[in-house]
């Protein structure tokens, strides 16, 4: 998945020649996919970014704060 604005990468492309025409070098900006596990959630109880764990309950996946055990959205 891609989280917007989180993982902007810049790629420098050098100029190259194709068919006698020179294509100037440029900087390409793109959003790289970031794994959901790398996204820090702010726990409302701890009021700081925390790691989240998954608890399964009745087939549902519940995200919990690994710090205080609070359920997060
Ligand atoms: Zn917490």
């Amino acid at each position: 998945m891609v989280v917007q604005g989180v993982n902007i990468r810049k790629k420098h492309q050098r100029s190259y020649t194709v068919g006698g025409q020179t294509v100037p070098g440029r900087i390409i900006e793109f959003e790289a996919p970031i794994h959901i596990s790398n996204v820090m959630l702010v726990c409302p109880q701890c009021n700081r970014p925390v790691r989240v764990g998954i608890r399964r309950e009745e087939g549902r996946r519940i995200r919990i704060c690994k710090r205080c055990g609070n359920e997060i959205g």
Side-chain angles (χ1 to χ4, degrees):
M1 72 170 271
V2 174
V3 179
Q4 281 202 334
V6 173
N7 206 20
I8 302 286
R9 295 278 173 86
K10 282 182 185 168
K11 203 176 187 176
H12 294 250
Q13 191 179 68
R14 22 166 65 189
S15 53
Y16 59 97
T17 307
V18 60
Q21 281 202 318
T22 302
V23 179
R26 59 198 174 124
I27 299 168
I28 303 165
E29 272 192 21
F30 64 102
E31 280 181 0
I34 184 169
H35 195 264
I36 189 69
S37 67
N38 291 329
V39 179
M40 295 294 270
L41 267 172
V42 176
C43 170
Q45 199 155 303
C46 304
N47 203 28
R48 54 174 258 180
V50 292
R51 294 185 66 85
V52 289
I54 301 291
R55 196 176 68 201
R56 285 170 198 279
E57 215 169 80
E58 296 161 12
R60 287 196 309 142
R61 283 154 58 92
I62 298 170
R63 289 191 294 187
I64 54 159
C65 166
K66 279 200 171 172
R67 196 160 172 270
C68 67
N70 191 35
E71 268 185 36
I72 304 174

